[in-house]
Amino acid sequence: MSIQWKGVMPAITTQFTENDALDLELFKVNVNAQLAAGVHGIVLGGTLGEASTLTNEERRILTRETVKIVSGKVPVLMNIAEQTTKAAINLAKTAEEDGAKGLMILPPMRYKAADEEVVEFFKSIANSTSLPIMIYNNPIDYKIMVTLDMFDELVDSCPNIQAVKESTRDTTNITRIKNRYGDRLAIMTGVDTLALESLLIGADGWVAGLVDAFPGETVAIYELQKAGRIKEAIEIYRWFMPLLELDIHPKLVQYIKLASAHTGIGSEYVRAPRLVLKGEERIRIEKIITEALAVRPTLPQYKNL
Protein backbone atom coordinates (compact mmCIF):
# COMPACT_ATOMS: atom_id res chain seq x y z
CA MET A 1 0.00 0.00 0.00
CA SER A 2 1.37 3.41 -0.99
CA ILE A 3 0.49 6.18 1.43
CA GLN A 4 -1.83 8.99 0.49
CA TRP A 5 -0.62 11.82 2.72
CA LYS A 6 -3.99 13.32 3.44
CA GLY A 7 -6.93 13.11 5.81
CA VAL A 8 -6.91 12.41 9.53
CA MET A 9 -4.28 10.11 11.01
CA PRO A 10 -4.65 9.54 14.76
CA ALA A 11 -1.53 9.58 16.90
CA ILE A 12 -2.99 6.57 18.63
CA THR A 13 -2.74 6.00 22.38
CA THR A 14 -1.31 2.80 23.84
CA GLN A 15 -3.82 1.17 26.16
CA PHE A 16 -2.58 -0.32 29.44
CA THR A 17 -4.26 -2.39 32.10
CA GLU A 18 -4.29 -1.31 35.75
CA ASN A 19 -1.32 -3.69 36.18
CA ASP A 20 0.75 -1.96 33.47
CA ALA A 21 0.40 -4.60 30.76
CA LEU A 22 -0.68 -3.86 27.20
CA ASP A 23 -4.48 -3.89 27.02
CA LEU A 24 -4.90 -5.19 23.48
CA GLU A 25 -8.65 -5.61 23.77
CA LEU A 26 -9.23 -1.96 24.63
CA PHE A 27 -6.62 -0.95 22.07
CA LYS A 28 -8.70 -2.78 19.46
CA VAL A 29 -11.82 -0.92 20.62
CA ASN A 30 -10.09 2.41 20.07
CA VAL A 31 -8.64 1.53 16.67
CA ASN A 32 -12.01 0.23 15.49
CA ALA A 33 -13.65 3.48 16.63
CA GLN A 34 -11.12 5.37 14.51
CA LEU A 35 -11.83 3.20 11.48
CA ALA A 36 -15.60 3.57 11.92
CA ALA A 37 -15.20 7.36 11.95
CA GLY A 38 -13.31 7.25 8.66
CA VAL A 39 -9.69 8.00 9.53
CA HIS A 40 -7.09 7.74 6.79
CA GLY A 41 -4.19 6.13 8.66
CA ILE A 42 -2.93 5.13 12.11
CA VAL A 43 0.30 6.44 13.67
CA LEU A 44 1.81 4.25 16.38
CA GLY A 45 4.43 5.00 18.99
CA GLY A 46 4.28 8.78 19.11
CA THR A 47 4.16 10.97 22.18
CA LEU A 48 0.54 9.99 22.76
CA GLY A 49 1.52 6.36 22.32
CA GLU A 50 3.98 6.76 25.24
CA ALA A 51 6.75 5.56 22.95
CA SER A 52 9.57 6.30 25.36
CA THR A 53 8.10 3.82 27.85
CA LEU A 54 7.55 0.94 25.43
CA THR A 55 9.89 -1.99 25.01
CA ASN A 56 10.93 -3.05 21.50
CA GLU A 57 8.80 -6.16 21.85
CA GLU A 58 5.76 -4.10 22.86
CA ARG A 59 6.23 -1.92 19.79
CA ARG A 60 6.30 -5.03 17.63
CA ILE A 61 3.18 -6.44 19.27
CA LEU A 62 1.32 -3.16 18.74
CA THR A 63 2.39 -2.94 15.11
CA ARG A 64 1.32 -6.49 14.31
CA GLU A 65 -1.95 -6.09 16.19
CA THR A 66 -2.79 -2.83 14.42
CA VAL A 67 -1.98 -4.28 11.00
CA LYS A 68 -4.32 -7.16 11.80
CA ILE A 69 -7.13 -4.86 12.99
CA VAL A 70 -7.01 -2.45 10.04
CA SER A 71 -6.78 -5.34 7.57
CA GLY A 72 -5.51 -3.15 4.75
CA LYS A 73 -8.17 -0.45 5.12
CA VAL A 74 -5.66 2.28 6.03
CA PRO A 75 -1.87 2.43 6.32
CA VAL A 76 -0.15 1.86 9.65
CA LEU A 77 2.83 4.11 10.44
CA MET A 78 5.42 3.63 13.15
CA ASN A 79 7.00 6.64 14.82
CA ILE A 80 10.77 6.62 15.30
CA ALA A 81 12.09 8.66 18.22
CA GLU A 82 15.53 7.26 19.05
CA GLN A 83 18.81 8.48 20.50
CA THR A 84 21.06 6.73 18.00
CA THR A 85 21.02 6.27 14.24
CA LYS A 86 21.64 2.55 14.70
CA ALA A 87 18.59 2.12 16.94
CA ALA A 88 16.45 4.14 14.54
CA ILE A 89 17.49 2.00 11.57
CA ASN A 90 16.75 -1.17 13.55
CA LEU A 91 13.28 0.12 14.46
CA ALA A 92 12.58 1.01 10.83
CA LYS A 93 13.58 -2.52 9.82
CA THR A 94 11.38 -4.28 12.40
CA ALA A 95 8.45 -1.95 11.70
CA GLU A 96 8.59 -2.91 8.03
CA GLU A 97 8.89 -6.60 8.91
CA ASP A 98 5.80 -6.31 11.13
CA GLY A 99 3.68 -4.76 8.39
CA ALA A 100 3.98 -0.98 8.86
CA LYS A 101 3.53 0.89 5.60
CA GLY A 102 5.28 4.10 6.58
CA LEU A 103 7.40 5.88 9.17
CA MET A 104 7.18 9.13 11.07
CA ILE A 105 10.64 10.20 12.21
CA LEU A 106 11.76 12.68 14.85
CA PRO A 107 15.27 14.18 15.01
CA PRO A 108 17.71 12.51 17.43
CA MET A 109 16.41 12.42 20.99
CA ARG A 110 18.15 14.02 23.99
CA TYR A 111 21.17 15.25 22.01
CA LYS A 112 20.59 18.67 20.41
CA ALA A 113 22.18 17.74 17.14
CA ALA A 114 23.60 20.27 14.68
CA ASP A 115 21.80 20.78 11.37
CA GLU A 116 24.19 18.59 9.39
CA GLU A 117 23.87 15.83 11.99
CA VAL A 118 20.07 15.93 11.82
CA VAL A 119 20.16 15.76 8.01
CA GLU A 120 22.56 12.81 8.09
CA PHE A 121 20.38 11.07 10.69
CA PHE A 122 17.30 11.35 8.47
CA LYS A 123 19.24 10.35 5.35
CA SER A 124 20.69 7.26 7.00
CA ILE A 125 17.27 6.03 8.07
CA ALA A 126 15.64 6.85 4.74
CA ASN A 127 18.37 5.04 2.81
CA SER A 128 17.93 1.95 5.00
CA THR A 129 14.28 1.37 4.10
CA SER A 130 11.87 1.49 1.20
CA LEU A 131 9.05 2.75 3.42
CA PRO A 132 7.66 6.25 2.78
CA ILE A 133 8.63 8.73 5.47
CA MET A 134 7.10 11.74 7.19
CA ILE A 135 9.52 14.02 9.06
CA TYR A 136 8.12 15.25 12.37
CA ASN A 137 9.10 18.91 12.78
CA ASN A 138 8.34 19.97 16.36
CA PRO A 139 10.96 22.40 17.67
CA ILE A 140 8.69 23.52 20.52
CA ASP A 141 8.76 20.16 22.26
CA TYR A 142 11.91 18.56 20.84
CA LYS A 143 14.17 21.63 20.51
CA ILE A 144 15.38 20.95 16.96
CA MET A 145 14.01 22.86 13.97
CA VAL A 146 14.12 21.18 10.58
CA THR A 147 14.61 24.21 8.33
CA LEU A 148 13.72 24.54 4.66
CA ASP A 149 17.42 24.44 3.80
CA MET A 150 17.66 21.11 5.60
CA PHE A 151 14.61 19.86 3.71
CA ASP A 152 16.34 20.89 0.46
CA GLU A 153 19.04 18.30 1.11
CA LEU A 154 16.55 15.64 2.17
CA VAL A 155 14.13 15.90 -0.75
CA ASP A 156 17.00 15.95 -3.25
CA SER A 157 18.59 12.76 -1.97
CA CYS A 158 15.77 10.73 -0.40
CA PRO A 159 12.70 10.18 -2.61
CA ASN A 160 10.95 8.23 0.15
CA ILE A 161 10.89 11.34 2.37
CA GLN A 162 7.47 12.47 1.22
CA ALA A 163 5.79 14.45 4.00
CA VAL A 164 6.28 16.67 7.02
CA LYS A 165 4.27 16.70 10.22
CA GLU A 166 4.20 20.47 10.68
CA SER A 167 4.19 21.25 14.40
CA THR A 168 6.23 24.45 14.54
CA ARG A 169 3.02 26.31 15.60
CA ASP A 170 3.85 28.89 12.93
CA THR A 171 1.16 28.48 10.30
CA THR A 172 3.11 30.65 7.85
CA ASN A 173 5.53 27.75 7.57
CA ILE A 174 2.84 25.85 5.65
CA THR A 175 2.90 28.48 2.90
CA ARG A 176 6.68 28.55 2.89
CA ILE A 177 6.82 24.79 2.37
CA LYS A 178 4.18 24.88 -0.35
CA ASN A 179 5.92 27.76 -2.11
CA ARG A 180 9.24 25.94 -2.17
CA TYR A 181 8.23 22.32 -2.75
CA GLY A 182 4.75 22.34 -4.26
CA ASP A 183 3.45 18.77 -4.13
CA ARG A 184 6.90 17.26 -3.49
CA LEU A 185 6.30 17.45 0.27
CA ALA A 186 2.86 16.79 1.71
CA ILE A 187 1.99 18.64 4.90
CA MET A 188 0.20 17.01 7.83
CA THR A 189 -0.62 19.54 10.51
CA GLY A 190 0.31 18.26 13.95
CA VAL A 191 -1.18 20.85 16.34
CA ASP A 192 -4.82 20.28 17.22
CA THR A 193 -5.50 23.93 18.10
CA LEU A 194 -4.27 25.09 14.67
CA ALA A 195 -5.75 22.26 12.64
CA LEU A 196 -8.60 23.91 10.78
CA GLU A 197 -6.60 27.02 9.99
CA SER A 198 -3.76 24.86 8.71
CA LEU A 199 -6.04 22.79 6.49
CA LEU A 200 -7.64 25.90 5.01
CA ILE A 201 -4.30 27.37 3.97
CA GLY A 202 -2.93 24.25 2.37
CA ALA A 203 -2.14 21.43 4.80
CA ASP A 204 -3.03 18.08 3.25
CA GLY A 205 -4.07 16.37 6.45
CA TRP A 206 -4.02 16.23 10.23
CA VAL A 207 -2.06 13.98 12.58
CA ALA A 208 -4.50 14.40 15.44
CA GLY A 209 -4.56 13.93 19.21
CA LEU A 210 -8.09 14.46 20.54
CA VAL A 211 -9.25 12.12 17.79
CA ASP A 212 -8.35 9.38 20.28
CA ALA A 213 -11.44 10.41 22.27
CA PHE A 214 -13.52 12.11 19.57
CA PRO A 215 -12.86 10.44 16.21
CA GLY A 216 -16.11 11.45 14.51
CA GLU A 217 -15.79 15.15 15.29
CA THR A 218 -12.17 15.20 14.11
CA VAL A 219 -12.83 13.51 10.78
CA ALA A 220 -15.97 15.60 10.26
CA ILE A 221 -13.96 18.83 10.48
CA TYR A 222 -11.52 17.56 7.87
CA GLU A 223 -14.17 16.28 5.47
CA LEU A 224 -16.43 19.32 5.78
CA GLN A 225 -13.67 21.84 5.10
CA LYS A 226 -12.44 19.73 2.19
CA ALA A 227 -15.96 19.82 0.71
CA GLY A 228 -16.14 23.60 1.12
CA ARG A 229 -18.65 23.44 3.96
CA ILE A 230 -16.52 25.78 6.01
CA LYS A 231 -19.22 27.21 8.26
CA GLU A 232 -20.20 23.73 9.49
CA ALA A 233 -16.54 22.84 10.07
CA ILE A 234 -16.02 26.05 12.06
CA GLU A 235 -19.04 25.36 14.27
CA ILE A 236 -17.69 21.94 15.26
CA TYR A 237 -14.18 23.33 15.67
CA ARG A 238 -15.35 26.08 18.04
CA TRP A 239 -17.18 23.53 20.17
CA PHE A 240 -14.05 21.35 20.09
CA MET A 241 -11.49 24.02 21.02
CA PRO A 242 -11.53 23.65 24.85
CA LEU A 243 -10.83 19.95 24.31
CA LEU A 244 -8.23 20.55 21.60
CA GLU A 245 -6.29 22.71 24.03
CA LEU A 246 -5.65 19.58 26.08
CA ASP A 247 -3.28 18.54 23.27
CA ILE A 248 -0.80 21.38 23.89
CA HIS A 249 0.13 20.64 27.50
CA PRO A 250 2.95 18.48 28.91
CA LYS A 251 0.29 16.16 30.35
CA LEU A 252 -1.50 15.72 27.02
CA VAL A 253 -1.28 11.93 27.39
CA GLN A 254 -3.12 11.91 30.72
CA TYR A 255 -5.64 14.52 29.56
CA ILE A 256 -6.50 12.79 26.28
CA LYS A 257 -6.64 9.37 27.87
CA LEU A 258 -9.06 10.67 30.50
CA ALA A 259 -11.21 12.10 27.71
CA SER A 260 -11.21 8.74 25.91
CA ALA A 261 -12.30 7.04 29.12
CA HIS A 262 -15.27 9.43 29.27
CA THR A 263 -16.23 8.62 25.67
CA GLY A 264 -15.89 4.89 26.28
CA ILE A 265 -13.11 4.08 23.80
CA GLY A 266 -10.07 4.11 26.10
CA SER A 267 -8.85 4.06 29.67
CA GLU A 268 -6.94 6.58 31.73
CA TYR A 269 -4.15 4.17 32.70
CA VAL A 270 -0.69 5.49 31.85
CA ARG A 271 2.79 4.08 32.32
CA ALA A 272 5.08 5.50 35.01
CA PRO A 273 6.62 7.97 35.43
CA ARG A 274 3.30 9.37 34.22
CA LEU A 275 0.57 9.15 36.84
CA VAL A 276 -3.20 9.12 36.60
CA LEU A 277 -4.65 12.56 37.28
CA LYS A 278 -5.90 13.37 40.77
CA GLY A 279 -6.97 16.26 42.97
CA GLU A 280 -7.74 19.72 41.64
CA GLU A 281 -6.11 19.04 38.30
CA ARG A 282 -8.35 16.05 37.69
CA ILE A 283 -11.45 18.06 38.66
CA ARG A 284 -10.45 20.85 36.26
CA ILE A 285 -9.83 18.55 33.28
CA GLU A 286 -12.95 16.49 33.90
CA LYS A 287 -14.97 19.72 33.98
CA ILE A 288 -13.70 20.62 30.50
CA ILE A 289 -14.57 17.14 29.23
CA THR A 290 -18.01 16.85 30.81
CA GLU A 291 -19.05 20.36 29.80
CA ALA A 292 -18.14 19.57 26.20
CA LEU A 293 -19.97 16.25 26.29
CA ALA A 294 -23.10 17.98 27.60
CA VAL A 295 -23.33 20.02 24.38
CA ARG A 296 -21.68 17.55 22.01
CA PRO A 297 -22.86 18.43 18.51
CA THR A 298 -24.90 16.20 16.26
CA LEU A 299 -22.67 15.64 13.28
CA PRO A 300 -23.88 16.03 9.71
CA GLN A 301 -23.35 13.19 7.26
CA TYR A 302 -19.71 13.91 6.55
CA LYS A 303 -18.62 10.72 4.81
CA ASN A 304 -18.42 10.54 1.02
CA LEU A 305 -19.04 14.26 0.56
Side-chain angles (χ1 to χ4, degrees):
M1 177 186 289
S2 61
I3 293 184
Q4 297 294 313
W5 299 102
K6 63 181 183 180
V8 173
M9 296 187 182
I12 207 81
T13 49
T14 301
Q15 298 298 318
F16 297 110
T17 67
E18 190 175 6
N19 297 320
D20 198 38
L22 293 180
D23 188 339
L24 295 179
E25 286 303 311
L26 191 53
F27 180 77
K28 184 176 181 179
V29 168
N30 192 278
V31 173
N32 278 328
Q34 307 301 323
L35 296 174
V39 301
H40 303 79
I42 300 288
V43 180
L44 297 170
T47 303
L48 277 170
E50 298 175 74
S52 62
T53 72
L54 298 175
T55 67
N56 287 335
E57 182 56 28
E58 285 174 330
R59 287 193 188 98
R60 300 200 71 168
I61 290 169
L62 289 169
T63 305
R64 294 168 186 156
E65 185 69 16
T66 308
V67 168
K68 189 191 324 181
I69 296 167
V70 305
S71 189
K73 297 181 184 74
V74 298
V76 175
L77 288 75
M78 173 54 75
N79 181 56
I80 293 179
E82 295 293 331
Q83 298 180 65
T84 68
T85 303
K86 182 177 180 180
I89 289 172
N90 287 339
L91 180 53
K93 178 181 177 182
T94 56
E96 187 167 8
E97 289 173 357
D98 293 334
K101 298 302 181 185
L103 303 171
M104 182 171 77
I105 307 179
L106 277 158
M109 294 288 96
R110 294 182 177 86
Y111 170 55
K112 192 178 186 304
D115 289 2
E116 62 270 21
E117 293 172 322
V118 175
V119 168
E120 189 58 36
F121 177 79
F122 287 141
K123 281 184 180 179
S124 297
I125 302 167
N127 291 332
S128 76
T129 180
S130 61
L131 292 178
I133 289 169
M134 172 167 57
I135 300 297
Y136 186 1
N137 194 14
N138 185 348
I140 303 296
D141 293 324
Y142 297 108
K143 311 309 176 188
I144 291 176
M145 174 76 173
V146 186
T147 66
L148 294 188
D149 289 342
M150 293 162 74
F151 273 117
D152 281 346
E153 293 190 54
L154 295 170
V155 300
D156 285 345
S157 57
C158 303
N160 58 333
I161 293 179
Q162 299 174 358
V164 54
K165 180 181 175 184
E166 168 52 41
S167 297
T168 61
R169 304 190 192 180
D170 177 1
T171 54
T172 62
N173 211 38
I174 293 169
T175 302
R176 293 188 188 101
I177 294 169
K178 286 296 181 185
N179 283 347
R180 186 173 295 199
Y181 303 111
D183 294 331
R184 173 61 184 85
L185 270 183
I187 300 173
M188 303 292 288
T189 181
V191 182
D192 276 3
T193 54
L194 296 174
L196 182 54
E197 298 92 318
S198 298
L199 291 165
L200 291 175
I201 62 171
D204 301 285
W206 178 5
V207 179
L210 266 296
V211 68
D212 287 316
F214 296 91
E217 289 83 353
T218 307
V219 180
I221 289 169
Y222 170 79
E223 296 291 358
L224 288 166
Q225 65 80 32
K226 184 181 176 186
R229 292 165 60 174
I230 310 302
K231 183 178 179 181
E232 291 169 274
I234 290 173
E235 287 175 356
I236 299 169
Y237 192 56
R238 286 177 177 167
W239 163 83
F240 213 174
M241 187 56 66
L243 293 162
L244 296 177
E245 288 176 336
L246 303 179
D247 183 58
I248 54 171
H249 188 277
K251 288 189 179 180
L252 77 164
V253 176
Q254 291 96 315
Y255 293 175
I256 292 173
K257 279 193 160 183
L258 184 58
S260 71
H262 275 268
T263 58
I265 59 172
S267 81
E268 63 176 308
Y269 296 126
V270 288
R271 176 164 282 177
R274 289 182 177 89
L275 298 173
V276 170
L277 299 176
K278 59 185 179 181
E280 289 298 320
E281 183 178 30
R282 182 185 185 90
I283 292 169
R284 178 172 57 83
I285 300 304
E286 285 200 308
K287 184 174 186 287
I288 293 169
I289 296 165
T290 57
E291 286 182 350
L293 285 171
V295 291
R296 192 174 187 177
T298 300
L299 299 178
Q301 281 291 341
Y302 62 85
K303 297 180 183 177
N304 303 313
L305 291 177

